[in-house]
Amino acid sequence: MSRGRVGLGALGVLLAAYGGWLLLSRQDSAGNLDAVLWLAGGVVVHDLLLAPAVLALCWVGARLLPPLARPAAAAGLVVLGSLTLLAVPFLGGFGRDNAPDNATLLDRDYTAGYLVLVALVLLGVVLPVLVVTVLRRRSGGQG
Amino acid sequence: MSARVGRWLGISFGICFLTGLVSHYAQNPSQPVPFPTSPAWGYRLTQGLHVTTGVAAIPLLLVKLWTVFPLLLRSLPAGAGARVREAGERASIAVLVASSLFLLTTGLLNSTQWYPWEFSFRRTHYALSWVAIGALLLHLAIKAPTIREALRRDVDDPALDRPAATEQGALGRRGLLRATWTASALAVLATAGSTVPWLRQVSVLGVRSGEGPGGVPVNRTARAAGVTETAVDPAYRLVVSSGGRSVSLGREDLLAMPQRTEELPIACVEGWSASAAWTGVRLRDLLDLVDAPAGSEVEVTSLQQRGAFARTLLQGNFADDDRTLVALALAGEPLDLDHGFPARLIAPNRPGVLQTKWLSRLEVLA
């Protein structure tokens, strides 16, 4: 292993250790316990719920969808899946509970906005598939 | 594939880390090197970049994790030495993944003022950013040859694939990369309008529409701060003191002093920002009333009863800057109660939480 790589790795360990010390030394144990729960919780939710759900969707898609539609569906899953996760705190509007009298916080119609996003993505995903299908049928009919 | 998404994820994390350090330092009362007052839009830029880059990283992190997910289920290699190495690498990746998911999740939730946790957001987010950047450097050091090789080859070249990966995914690698970039770009467009005015119309997931009294959103309302009575009390006085000297000024007294108007942004740590025309008394003019020496630090106290920023420290270079005002009006109208009526601080290039509202005392520190 080159000297540069060892140095980079050692620097990484040092910075991470500093972060760990910062984490544990600057607040009470209840706060630290909650932080650790959130750290572990993120991994558990991702590895045991989210990732298997994505794999399951892919498995179902591969069996139900015609081969032509699969790439578009996979692209749609990547885009819509991540945008939906991003939209959760907006659609739920949970932050408003902390500041019920603040009319300027989360002051959009997020449901409508999210549905517009979904419609745009679906359009971008479905339209090319439809166009290709129609073109193939036409050339098939002529030939 | 994983290296290509990882490259942009790494760049995003680098930007988030550096802009986060800037924000943390700007909020630090003790600053060995004074935080600069110029450019006035500096903090607006760095904090907008911090939150926007974090949002862009959400799809990148998800795709990155999904592409390497099969490796998690891989069996351990034979031989004790190889097993220890493998376990060590997995432990470092577990730390990297846990801290990355933590930073992006808590950052996103915080930007919407949703705090379903007991820990201090600022301290924990800051501490874990060091953990994440350290674990990222270690990961880069371990993977350097693989990354270099993968980025040099064509994305479809199977030379570096897992032996078990024989089936081509439905989308293909180029398609998956395109979908990932699209997801990231849409996430940015959908949120950045809270800080980029010309994106306001398209940012359907912006935390703020940009509307509010005087065209500026509100972070903490007068009611939430517990000042609805004290702020409108006719007996209100702003006390300015330095050493033994002290003056006490009502809002009318402040309005009778020379008024200045400055175009300055309010830039919140949560990533939203808005620029506006503030009118009021230059802070330095007030400090001159009590003969405060140049470069003095000023302790700024608010009427507010709740919140961590009821008392803040204004560094000497901010106190002396000509653009720093005790603002009495916004966009030509008397200050709204939620914007800090009767008087608030507004200074250039300063985090929004330190732009103290509902001023009650300005105390020059010796």
Side-chain angles (χ1 to χ4, degrees), chain A residues 5 34 98 101 107-108 110, chain B residues 113 118 141 200 206 209 218 221:
Chain A
R5 279 176 69 199
D34 200 34
N98 290 324
D101 62 331
D107 57 347
R108 289 170 172 272
Y110 295 104
Chain B
Q113 295 202 357
E118 299 294 317
R200 266 183 197 157
S209 66
V218 172
T221 59

Side-chain angles (χ1 to χ4, degrees), chain A residues 1 5 8-13 15-16 18-20 22-23 26-27 30-32 34-35 38-40 42-43 46-47 50-52 54-55 70-72 74-75 77-79 81-83 85-90 94-96 98-102 104-110 113-114 116-117 121, chain B residues 55 58-59 62-63 65-66 69 72 97-99 101-102 105 108-109 112-120 123-124 126-128 130-131 133-135 137-138 140-142 144-145 170-171 176 179-180 182-183 186-187 190-191 200 203-209 211-213 217-219 221 223-224:
Chain A
M1 212 184 277
R5 279 176 69 199
L8 189 66
L11 177 66
V13 172
L15 295 185
Y18 173 62
L22 275 181
L23 179 68
R26 299 283 167 94
Q27 61 184 336
N32 279 330
D34 200 34
W38 272 77
L39 276 167
V43 177
H46 178 268
D47 286 3
L50 198 57
V54 170
L55 289 177
R70 280 179 211 161
L77 178 67
V78 168
V79 177
S82 41
L83 286 179
L85 286 178
L86 172 69
V88 167
F90 297 93
F94 308 102
R96 280 192 213 107
N98 290 324
D101 62 331
N102 190 348
T104 70
L105 173 71
L106 297 174
D107 57 347
R108 289 170 172 272
D109 186 346
Y110 295 104
Y114 174 70
V116 168
L117 263 184
V121 175
Chain B
V55 165
I58 292 175
L62 289 172
V63 171
L65 290 179
W66 294 339
F69 193 65
L72 187 68
V97 171
S99 53
L101 285 169
F102 183 96
T105 310
L108 173 67
L109 266 50
T112 68
Q113 295 202 357
W114 180 23
Y115 318 107
W117 49 68
E118 299 294 317
F119 51 79
S120 146
R123 281 184 202 140
T124 315
Y126 176 69
L128 283 168
W130 287 95
V131 173
I133 215 75
L137 290 184
L138 180 61
L140 286 177
I142 293 172
L171 193 50
L176 181 52
T180 309
T182 306
L186 280 178
T191 53
R200 266 183 197 157
S203 281
V204 292
L205 298 180
V207 285
R208 310 281 177 152
S209 66
E211 298 295 315
V218 172
N219 197 43
T221 59
R223 213 178 66 163

Side-chain angles (χ1 to χ4, degrees), chain B:
Chain B
M1 171 69 219
S2 179
R4 281 174 168 78
V5 177
R7 174 167 53 185
W8 287 104
L9 190 57
I11 291 171
S12 311
F13 270 45
I15 293 174
C16 279
F17 182 66
L18 293 177
T19 50
L21 287 187
V22 168
S23 177
H24 201 78
Y25 191 75
Q27 292 177 59
N28 218 351
S30 148
Q31 296 174 348
V33 180
F35 195 77
T37 59
S38 289
W41 42 263
Y43 187 76
R44 182 183 200 185
L45 177 76
T46 60
Q47 199 56 16
L49 204 57
H50 181 80
V51 173
T52 306
T53 312
V55 165
I58 292 175
L60 300 180
L61 179 64
L62 289 172
V63 171
K64 169 89 184 165
L65 290 179
W66 294 339
T67 55
V68 297
F69 193 65
L71 293 176
L72 187 68
L73 310 172
R74 179 174 62 175
S75 54
L76 285 173
R83 282 197 177 184
V84 169
R85 266 184 76 107
E86 172 84 9
E89 193 188 336
R90 283 194 182 201
S92 78
I93 288 176
V95 171
L96 178 57
V97 171
S99 53
S100 303
L101 285 169
F102 183 96
L103 289 173
L104 294 187
T105 310
T106 56
L108 173 67
L109 266 50
N110 184 69
S111 81
T112 68
Q113 295 202 357
W114 180 23
Y115 318 107
W117 49 68
E118 299 294 317
F119 51 79
S120 146
F121 169 77
R122 188 181 159 217
R123 281 184 202 140
T124 315
H125 196 78
Y126 176 69
L128 283 168
S129 72
W130 287 95
V131 173
I133 215 75
L136 176 61
L137 290 184
L138 180 61
H139 180 62
L140 286 177
I142 293 172
K143 293 286 185 193
T146 317
I147 297 168
R148 211 174 294 134
E149 188 67 17
L151 293 179
R152 196 176 57 78
R153 287 172 186 273
D154 186 82
V155 64
D156 282 326
D157 190 330
L160 295 169
D161 286 357
R162 284 167 283 124
T166 49
E167 217 176 309
Q168 175 71 272
L171 193 50
R173 294 176 186 192
R174 287 177 200 284
L176 181 52
L177 283 178
R178 270 198 297 271
T180 309
W181 310 148
T182 306
S184 216
L186 280 178
V188 167
L189 285 177
T191 53
S194 298
T195 189
V196 184
W198 54 269
L199 277 178
R200 266 183 197 157
Q201 299 301 319
V202 297
S203 281
V204 292
L205 298 180
V207 285
R208 310 281 177 152
S209 66
E211 298 295 315
V216 176
V218 172
N219 197 43
R220 178 184 288 270
T221 59
R223 213 178 66 163
V227 299
T228 41
E229 281 168 25
T230 47
V232 295
D233 189 338
Y236 166 82
R237 288 285 180 279
L238 171 65
V239 177
V240 186
S241 66
S242 172
R245 298 200 50 146
S246 172
V247 291
S248 171
L249 304 155
R251 192 175 143 93
E252 291 306 317
D253 302 325
L254 291 167
L255 282 167
M257 292 179 69
Q259 302 290 301
R260 326 260 176 184
T261 298
E262 300 286 349
E263 179 79 22
L264 290 173
I266 279 276
C268 185
V269 280
E270 288 153 16
W272 65 265
S273 62
S275 192
W278 305 88
T279 304
V281 182
R282 193 176 272 170
L283 183 81
R284 191 61 238 181
D285 291 349
L286 287 171
L287 299 184
D288 286 343
L289 294 180
V290 291
D291 297 328
S296 307
E297 291 188 328
V298 180
E299 188 180 75
V300 180
T301 310
S302 168
L303 294 171
Q304 77 187 71
Q305 304 296 308
R306 289 187 283 276
F309 296 94
R311 189 172 293 172
T312 59
L313 185 77
L314 189 68
Q315 284 79 14
N317 57 332
F318 283 93
D320 289 351
D321 195 289
D322 280 347
R323 295 164 293 177
T324 302
L325 302 179
V326 167
L328 308 167
L330 164 61
E333 297 286 320
L335 215 51
D336 189 273
L337 191 57
D338 284 338
H339 278 318
F341 180 92
R344 77 167 300 164
L345 182 76
I346 184 85
N349 198 25
R350 195 163 161 82
V353 284
L354 301 181
Q355 310 275 30
T356 311
K357 302 198 273 191
W358 313 291
L359 292 178
S360 72
R361 271 188 87 84
L362 298 170
E363 189 167 352
V364 177
L365 302 179

